[in-house]
Amino acid sequence: MGEENFCLDNQPSDESTNSSLANICSQVEALISSTNETIDHNNNNSLEQENKKNKTSTFNFGKCKVCKDKATGIHYGIPSCEGCKGFFKRSIEKNEKYVCYFGYKCVITPKQRKRCKYCRWRSCLAAGMSFEGIKMGRIPKIEKEKAKLHTEETSEDEEIENKQLETIHNDSRVEQIRLSLKSLLNLNASFDIFKTLNPYSLIPRTTFSELCISNHSENNIFVLTLMKDRCYQLYKSGTQDFQQQYERALKLVENNFDCSIYSYSQDLDSVWKAFCAMTSEFTRRMVTITKICPGFDKFDSRDIGSIVNDRLFVCYGLCVNRLFIDDEFYAMLDANTQLSRYWMDKIFGLNVSQKIFAYHAKLNDFRLTDTEIAIIIPWLCTKDLQVSNMELLKELNTYYTQVLLYELNLNQRTPEYFKELSEHLEISKEINYLVKNTSYEDIIKRTV
């Protein structure tokens, strides 16, 4: 089911002129159901492909004596898996000299065996691996071929991972990250940045994340970096049209364009319908992005609906903040309709409009980077909300607070800056309520 089958229409009906924006926002569960079907369908296809790909030897040799994974045969004198068999063979052939970067006490498990080659090599020797032990028993030929195929794939993957690990340890940025972390902890001594959480509930389990994440608390900083990068990618992909609108706004400002033209070239009814259509489209966009934002996929549909409803215009405001320039608003509702200051006053009333412009004027003074905004959005979406899964909400808020503080510290923001920013962002929740409950009836009453 594609996006074209969502229950929300791209253009509001005539009835939308007699309803509030809250009615439009309340339809998010229809979007969530649609995206659930799409995601479930894709997941099922991926699972089928993964099951076909992972057909390996089924001959029972017990567990690998090195890493406790499933053994595929007697290799070099002991029951071992294809991964450890290939590792031992390459180590002998290349006469490798390994070094442990984690204290020479690494536990070798199926999921962490690739993290430290030194401790894995030592485990191979301790388990009794040797060239003198080469003697494969009577194993069916098809099992040998399966094992051989798996060995070739594993060997190629491990070569790539080894190069990535060497790159990580030789990268000067690693030391910069650690220094930044120490500075962050000094600024926030009471903040437990390494609270025990499962990082794989927040980021995909990939080769790179396996290499970076370990039981050592210092390496948890890589989890924050991965989350930060993911938030930034989602933010940039979801705000491309706003970036184009910002470039348009800069040209208009440069040419001293008079936006008052929009006060008489369009009528209230068409502007309101365009605003409702934009709200519908942005709701659709926010549902889609929220469901794939790190950690949010664990929420059920009702909780996603609550988050989107309570933070819709908070997030919209952050996405279009740069379009507030010199007491004017340059957001485009469609190709021909700009939501100028004139129409903001008409639709929301002078008091609410002034509150919105004052809020964004000060927010612009903070000079937030795109990355900071990208992190603030999910941070606010996990802050001071009521959902059924409160435990997950608090866990995610802890993590996103860590990511935000880490990014602010990298940008040399002070604790006072964070405190002042947090207090100012609280105003956005009130604005969200006021905007969401705007109705066409109220607009007409104000204009009569």
Side-chain angles (χ1 to χ4, degrees):
M1 182 180 295
E3 196 171 88
E4 65 276 11
N5 291 327
F6 284 135
C7 294
L8 287 179
D9 297 327
N10 287 332
Q11 296 295 334
S13 64
D14 291 337
E15 295 180 358
S16 67
T17 58
N18 298 315
S19 62
S20 70
L21 293 175
N23 293 334
I24 296 176
C25 300
S26 66
Q27 300 179 50
V28 294
E29 288 200 17
L31 303 183
I32 296 169
S33 299
S34 297
T35 53
N36 276 341
E37 292 182 22
T38 302
I39 292 172
D40 290 341
H41 176 71
N42 293 337
N43 286 343
N44 288 336
N45 289 340
S46 299
L47 185 60
E48 290 177 5
Q49 294 175 0
E50 192 67 22
N51 288 336
K52 291 178 181 179
K53 181 180 177 181
N54 289 335
K55 286 184 178 179
T56 55
S57 176
T58 57
F59 206 78
N60 186 16
F61 287 95
K63 292 186 177 181
C64 173
K65 296 295 184 181
V66 179
C67 70
K68 308 305 180 186
D69 199 358
K70 184 177 180 180
T72 58
I74 305 299
H75 308 304
Y76 302 105
I78 65 169
S80 61
C81 64
E82 292 300 313
C84 292
K85 165 194 165 184
F87 170 77
F88 184 78
K89 178 182 178 181
R90 291 192 301 276
S91 299
I92 293 294
E93 290 177 345
K94 298 180 180 180
N95 193 27
E96 296 280 9
K97 303 295 182 183
Y98 300 131
V99 177
C100 177
Y101 296 95
F102 308 102
Y104 296 92
K105 295 181 181 179
C106 301
V107 178
I108 305 303
T109 65
K111 293 182 179 179
Q112 294 209 12
R113 67 191 179 197
K114 301 169 186 176
R115 187 172 65 90
C116 179
K117 291 185 281 187
Y118 175 88
C119 292
R120 188 181 187 184
W121 169 249
R122 189 172 62 178
S123 295
C124 288
L125 297 179
M129 269 192 170
S130 68
F131 262 93
E132 288 74 17
I134 299 178
K135 185 177 181 180
M136 205 172 208
R138 295 179 180 272
I139 303 173
K141 182 178 179 181
I142 188 172
E143 298 296 330
K144 293 182 181 179
E145 291 178 349
K146 286 182 181 179
K148 182 179 179 182
L149 176 62
H150 184 71
T151 300
E152 291 173 352
E153 294 175 349
T154 303
S155 176
E156 183 178 348
D157 291 341
E158 289 193 357
E159 286 295 328
I160 296 173
E161 290 166 2
N162 290 338
K163 291 179 181 179
Q164 289 177 330
L165 187 58
E166 289 173 4
T167 301
I168 291 170
H169 288 302
N170 294 330
D171 195 336
S172 60
R173 291 175 295 177
V174 173
E175 185 60 25
Q176 293 176 3
I177 290 174
R178 290 174 175 170
L179 290 174
S180 176
L181 172 61
K182 291 178 182 178
S183 175
L184 173 60
L185 293 175
N186 289 334
L187 289 174
N188 304 277
S190 62
F191 190 78
D192 182 10
I193 196 168
F194 293 130
K195 179 182 177 182
T196 303
L197 295 173
N198 177 16
Y200 296 114
S201 68
L202 303 164
I203 58 174
R205 185 184 293 277
T206 64
T207 298
F208 186 74
S209 64
E210 292 254 2
L211 288 170
C212 292
I213 299 169
S214 72
N215 293 326
H216 300 273
S217 62
E218 200 171 59
N219 286 338
N220 283 354
I221 196 65
F222 286 108
V223 179
L224 306 186
T225 303
L226 290 169
M227 287 183 64
K228 179 188 77 170
D229 292 344
R230 180 58 175 158
C231 289
Y232 178 77
Q233 292 168 5
L234 291 175
Y235 173 77
K236 295 301 285 186
S237 65
T239 58
Q240 290 179 358
D241 54 336
F242 298 136
Q243 177 60 35
Q244 294 171 355
Q245 292 178 31
Y246 178 64
E247 293 170 359
R248 166 187 173 273
L250 292 179
K251 292 179 180 178
L252 294 180
V253 171
E254 183 180 354
N255 295 325
N256 296 315
F257 180 78
D258 184 7
C259 291
S260 65
I261 187 175
Y262 292 106
S263 65
Y264 55 82
S265 62
Q266 294 167 313
D267 60 89
L268 178 61
D269 185 72
S270 62
V271 174
W272 171 251
K273 287 184 178 180
F275 185 75
C276 289
M278 181 281 298
T279 301
S280 175
E281 192 282 327
F282 188 79
T283 302
R284 187 192 327 277
R285 188 185 314 188
M286 187 172 172
V287 167
T288 302
I289 293 178
T290 301
K291 289 182 67 64
I292 58 177
C293 191
F296 284 81
D297 61 316
K298 306 299 180 184
F299 286 114
D300 60 26
S301 298
R302 182 169 296 181
D303 282 348
I304 291 289
S306 297
I307 293 169
V308 172
N309 267 318
D310 290 343
R311 292 293 181 265
L312 182 67
F313 289 104
V314 172
C315 297
Y316 177 75
L318 286 165
C319 290
V320 300
N321 184 58
R322 290 190 297 179
L323 297 176
F324 286 85
I325 304 173
D326 297 334
D327 208 33
E328 183 57 82
F329 189 36
Y330 291 87
M332 297 298 293
L333 301 179
D334 56 36
N336 302 309
T337 310
Q338 178 179 317
L339 187 60
S340 63
R341 176 66 187 257
Y342 174 85
W343 288 116
M344 290 278 283
D345 292 345
K346 287 288 185 182
I347 292 175
F348 303 117
L350 286 176
N351 290 336
V352 175
S353 181
Q354 288 173 359
K355 182 183 288 289
I356 292 172
F357 275 87
Y359 165 76
H360 284 283
K362 185 173 180 179
L363 187 60
N364 273 319
D365 290 340
F366 285 96
R367 299 188 180 280
L368 293 166
T369 66
D370 284 350
T371 304
E372 288 169 343
I373 294 175
I375 300 168
I376 287 173
I377 289 175
W379 177 62
L380 289 176
C381 286
T382 59
K383 191 172 184 285
D384 302 329
L385 285 171
Q386 289 298 319
V387 296
S388 60
N389 195 343
M390 289 300 296
E391 182 179 353
L392 174 60
L393 188 78
K394 292 176 182 178
E395 182 178 350
L396 289 179
N397 183 253
T398 298
Y399 245 98
Y400 280 108
T401 302
Q402 294 174 6
V403 178
L404 179 57
L405 289 174
Y406 170 60
E407 179 64 18
L408 292 176
N409 186 66
L410 285 178
N411 296 336
Q412 299 183 336
R413 311 291 198 184
T414 64
E416 290 74 23
Y417 177 96
F418 175 65
K419 182 175 182 296
E420 186 177 355
L421 174 64
S422 300
E423 292 174 351
H424 184 66
L425 288 170
E426 289 296 311
I427 301 174
S428 66
K429 299 174 185 177
E430 180 187 356
I431 292 175
N432 181 79
Y433 174 81
L434 294 171
V435 172
K436 192 173 71 171
N437 287 281
T438 300
S439 67
Y440 192 72
E441 290 87 344
D442 293 336
I443 297 172
I444 295 301
K445 288 178 182 178
R446 284 197 300 268
T447 56
V448 172

